[in-house]
Amino acid sequence: MFFLSDLLNKKLNLPKPAEALPGRAKPIATASEHFVSKRPLKGPYPEGLETAMFGLGCFWGAERMFWQVEGVWVTAVGYAGGVTPNPTYQETCTGLTGHAEVVLVVYDPKIVSYAQLLKLFWESHDPTQGMRQGNDVGTTYRSTIYTFGDAQYQAAIASRDAYEASLRGAGRGKITTEIAPAPEFYFAEEDHQQYLAKNPYGYCNLQGTGVACAIPAAVSA
């Protein structure tokens, strides 16, 4: 009984550096191209494109949602925000790497704005649940926005504040989403890239709150 409660506690609390798994010096193997679009997963990306990074629970369904957006050039799933270098999926699932499951989104800002991506992010999951998303419990499933540059950071903060007001009006709790400058992104294994395109009936736990997100007019990143 003590072991089970201790394990759950580890999954709900980010590990300190001394507690984290050691990882490895070299990146783990992954796909070279996107299974759906056939575009290079790691680039080079065309000039003029921008990058965003979001975590909203299990990355399988989250990635599919973003790759279907017009103006998104390529997506990839991976791990970010933790301590362990070059973690594997199995290591990340223990909660002892500190990483969240995230989606890297490379997009054309002339077609889809960062504000539109933020709106999709907020409305597609419940950002008030802390270290979980529905039945998926643990630090890996926490809600995150990792930003590239000050404009994205300010836009993310403004959108959070606006959405929190809407959630409060609907009787929901406080947003627990982590918003921070983008840390290093570690590409997940090939099996996890575009997982739901390869496994159309695979697991997807995406579920929003039903509360619309009105992005402030000032958010134009």
Side-chain angles (χ1 to χ4, degrees), residues 187-198:
F187 285 84
E189 296 86 338
E190 182 172 3
D191 288 353
H192 296 289
Q193 303 297 340
Q194 301 83 60
Y195 181 86
L196 292 181
K198 304 168 186 173

Side-chain angles (χ1 to χ4, degrees), residues 53-76:
M53 195 187 301
F54 303 102
L56 52 160
C58 176
F59 52 21
W60 294 341
E63 186 189 18
R64 179 174 61 182
M65 179 184 71
F66 283 112
W67 88 54
Q68 292 176 337
V69 174
E70 183 180 3
V72 169
W73 196 80
V74 77
T75 58

Side-chain angles (χ1 to χ4, degrees), residues 134-153:
N135 293 327
D136 293 330
V137 178
T139 56
T140 53
Y141 303 113
R142 67 190 187 270
S143 175
T144 66
I145 302 175
Y146 292 132
T147 58
F148 295 84
D150 188 62
Q152 280 195 7
Y153 181 80

Side-chain angles (χ1 to χ4, degrees), residues 5 8 24 44 49 51-52 58-59 65 69 88 102 118 143 150 161 166 185 192 202 217-218:
S5 62
L8 183 61
R24 55 203 47 79
L49 300 190
T51 304
C58 176
F59 52 21
M65 179 184 71
V69 174
T88 65
V102 297
L118 285 170
S143 175
D150 188 62
D161 293 346
S166 298
F185 173 82
H192 296 289

Side-chain angles (χ1 to χ4, degrees), residues 55 121-122 125-133 141-145 160 163-164 167 173-179:
F121 165 82
W122 291 119
H125 75 304
D126 184 348
T128 70
Q129 295 191 340
M131 299 299 185
R132 66 179 297 168
Q133 197 58 218
Y141 303 113
R142 67 190 187 270
S143 175
T144 66
I145 302 175
R160 178 201 64 191
Y163 195 46
E164 191 163 71
L167 289 172
K174 185 178 179 63
I175 286 177
T176 59
T177 302
E178 174 190 3
I179 300 176

